[in-house]
Structure formats: C-alpha cells, structure tokens
Amino acid sequence: MKKNFINYTAYQLVTFLLPILLNAYISRVLGVTNMGMYNLSLSITTYFSIFLKLGIDLYGSREVAYARTSGKSGVVKVFSGVFQIQLTTGIVTIVVFISGAYWLSQAFALPFQLLLIQGTTIFTALLDISWLVIGLEKFNVIIVRNTLVKLLSIALVVIFIKNSDQLNWYTAIIVLTNLVATASVWFMMREFLGLKFKIRNYHYFRPIAILFLPIIATSLFTQMDTILVAHFSSFKEVGFYVTALSIISIPKILVSSFGSVVMPHMSKQAGDMSQMEETNIIVDSIIYWMIFSGLVVVFKIFN
C-alpha cells in the first residue's frame, strides 16, 4: 500500500504540475482572456461529467475491491453492472448537453464551437473506467498512461499553438489526448471487461446515486466558483482566478492520493482484518491528514 501511495502521489503531482508549467506558456500565447473562456467552458462540461458519473468512481472502485476476493469472474460481474449504469447516464447526459449547448453558449457568451469541442470531455467521462483500475490497485496503469499522454499533449501544444487565434485548436489537443488516454485503459484492462446488459443491474443505481450527494456538494466549491466568477466578472478575471487556484490546490493532492489508495486496499482486506486492525488504519489515516494539513497551514502563515 505504501508503494502505491508513493507512486500515485508522484503521478498526481506530475500530472498537476505539468499543466501549470504549460499554463505559463499558453497564457502568454493565447492570452488571459482566452484562457478564461477555456476554463469556463471546461467548468460547464465538467458539471455534465459529474452528473454522468454520479457516485460511480467511489462505488465502483469499492465494489471491484470487494469482488477481488471472488476472483476474475466476480470483478467482471461488478464491472458489467456498474458500467451499465455509467453508459445509461452517459447517453442521457450527452443528449441533454447537445440539446442545450447552443443555449449555454449564448448564456455565458462563449463561442458555440468552443463549447462543443470541450463537450468531448463528457464522452471521455462516459468511457472512463479508472474506478476499475483503482479497485484492482493497478495504479501503474494510470501512472504510465496519463504521464505519457500529458507529455504528448504538452509537446503538441508547444509545437502547434503559436497565436491567440488558436484557442479551439488548443482545446481540441487537450480533450483528444485525454480521450485517447481514457480509451487506452480498455485495452490494458481487457481481461477484466465484460458487458452483459441486464435489467437487474440497475439495482446498482440507488447506492451510486446516494454517493453522488457529497460529490455534487463538493463541486459547489470546486467548479461552481469559476462559473460565478464568470457571471459577475469577465473572462480575463476567470483566467487569473483559475491560475491562482491551481497553484494553491497542490497540497490537496497528497491528501486525496492517500484516500484513493487506502479505500480499495481496506475494501479488499475487509473480510480478513479484525475490527481493531480496520480502526487502526482509519486512525492512522486521520493522523496523517491532520499532521499534513497542519504543516501546510503553518507554511502558509509564515510565507
């Protein structure tokens, strides 16, 4: 588990820092106003992706971890049922987005073409089965895939994006490389994939919907703020705001990484651990989070 935590944290830091480094270049080339338009369109489509996934990322990774005790067949059964929910909500969400894309572009004064290109992220969310990878604790699959894709996207942006008229091209490069990265997981994890659509698989919907509640509540602080800044201000201020926000969000990566690693590990071992052992892991996790959070606060105060 420690190895997974270190590797996953390193990956999260790399994939978070690389876009920040790229942002210094792309903000100068495209301009802050264009970056504000990009980030606003991303926030809008991210909300659609949130409704598409509901609580699938949390529920799916946990259920896959449980199913590992039943062998490959158990994992395949869980994947089939959970992905059936994801596919259903995905189709509905994409139809709603396409139907309302023009209205949204008019409401937020965004170029319609830009919003449509950014809408590719919704299709990417439909294909996203990272919850399967996390449940199986195969973090190296995510690490290798996404690191290579991030490096490729940066290279393509530096090579092809040269002036402020290429916002659509920049958006297309980012969303398409992310789509390729997501689709590649299907080939890497093909031994665990199995799609048998059954009506009874919809019993997964209720627990997934329940887990959606804390996710949508959190999104009010992580996505809605960008939309509100755009509503009360301008695209330029959105660009400045998102850039500043991305920098101060770096410390949260370490905490979120720890949770992503601990949850599937505990789920898999649930039947083999005593209540005391489970309690010790939870207590150790809380202590880690509190110590790290305290260090971050102290660092911020003195800097």
Side-chain angles (χ1 to χ4, degrees):
M1 186 173 72
K2 291 181 180 178
K3 182 180 179 181
N4 282 337
F5 168 62
I6 294 172
N7 290 339
Y8 193 65
T9 301
Y11 150 72
Q12 290 279 58
L13 287 172
V14 168
T15 55
F16 197 81
L17 289 174
L18 286 178
I20 291 178
L21 296 175
L22 176 63
N23 194 56
Y25 169 80
I26 205 65
S27 295
R28 179 171 58 84
V29 174
L30 292 180
V32 179
T33 299
N34 276 340
M35 289 308 299
M37 295 171 65
Y38 170 82
N39 286 302
L40 175 59
S41 63
L42 178 60
S43 292
I44 293 172
T45 54
T46 298
Y47 254 103
F48 282 90
S49 298
I50 290 173
F51 279 94
L52 186 158
K53 294 298 284 291
L54 298 176
I56 288 174
D57 286 337
L58 290 173
Y59 182 81
S61 58
R62 188 191 68 182
E63 291 302 303
V64 168
Y66 283 146
R68 289 167 61 187
T69 58
S70 303
K72 180 180 174 181
S73 60
V75 174
V76 172
K77 180 180 179 181
V78 169
F79 171 81
S80 179
V82 175
F83 186 75
Q84 181 174 328
I85 303 297
Q86 184 169 318
L87 182 62
T88 302
T89 58
I91 293 173
V92 172
T93 304
I94 290 174
V95 170
V96 172
F97 173 76
I98 293 175
S99 301
Y102 181 77
W103 178 84
L104 287 171
S105 67
Q106 295 295 308
F108 291 99
L110 284 169
F112 178 60
Q113 189 175 19
L114 172 65
L115 192 59
L116 282 183
I117 296 172
Q118 196 72 266
T120 305
T121 59
I122 303 173
F123 183 69
T124 300
L126 187 153
L127 296 179
D128 181 24
I129 54 172
S130 57
W131 47 269
L132 171 65
V133 180
I134 293 174
L136 293 171
E137 295 187 86
K138 293 182 177 292
F139 293 98
N140 286 337
V141 172
I142 297 178
I143 293 169
V144 173
R145 176 206 70 178
N146 280 14
T147 301
L148 291 176
V149 170
K150 291 293 183 183
L151 292 173
L152 173 63
S153 64
I154 290 175
L156 291 175
V157 167
V158 173
I159 292 171
F160 293 107
I161 307 303
K162 300 296 183 183
N163 59 69
S164 60
D165 297 326
Q166 296 179 301
L167 176 59
N168 287 346
W169 282 104
Y170 168 72
T171 306
I173 289 173
I174 299 300
V175 299
L176 290 178
T177 51
N178 286 336
L179 177 60
V180 170
T182 300
S184 66
V185 175
W186 285 74
F187 296 96
M188 297 178 185
M189 307 300 293
R190 57 184 177 274
E191 63 178 301
F192 298 101
L193 306 183
L195 298 176
K196 295 182 179 179
F197 296 100
K198 301 175 182 178
I199 295 297
R200 67 171 178 266
N201 284 338
Y202 285 104
H203 78 274
Y204 288 109
F205 183 81
R206 184 175 181 274
I208 287 173
I210 292 174
L211 286 174
F212 172 65
L213 296 178
I215 293 174
I216 192 63
T218 303
S219 73
L220 296 176
F221 300 95
T222 58
Q223 298 298 328
M224 183 61 74
D225 52 355
T226 302
I227 297 175
L228 290 175
V229 170
H231 177 73
F232 291 106
S233 189
S234 66
F235 293 131
K236 186 175 182 179
E237 278 70 22
V238 172
F240 285 126
Y241 175 76
V242 173
T243 300
L245 191 64
S246 63
I247 295 174
I248 65 175
S249 297
I250 293 176
K252 293 191 298 185
I253 293 176
L254 295 176
V255 177
S256 62
S257 297
F258 192 77
S260 298
V261 173
V262 169
M263 191 275 290
H265 180 77
M266 286 192 63
S267 297
K268 178 179 179 295
Q269 302 295 332
D272 301 324
M273 290 190 297
S274 65
Q275 184 175 356
M276 180 62 68
E277 290 174 321
E278 293 178 356
T279 301
N280 288 338
I281 293 178
I282 294 173
V283 170
D284 289 343
S285 301
I286 294 174
I287 291 173
Y288 164 81
W289 286 324
M290 294 297 291
I291 291 175
F292 179 75
S293 300
L295 291 174
V296 170
V297 171
V298 171
F299 178 79
K300 290 293 184 180
I301 291 176
F302 291 98
N303 287 275

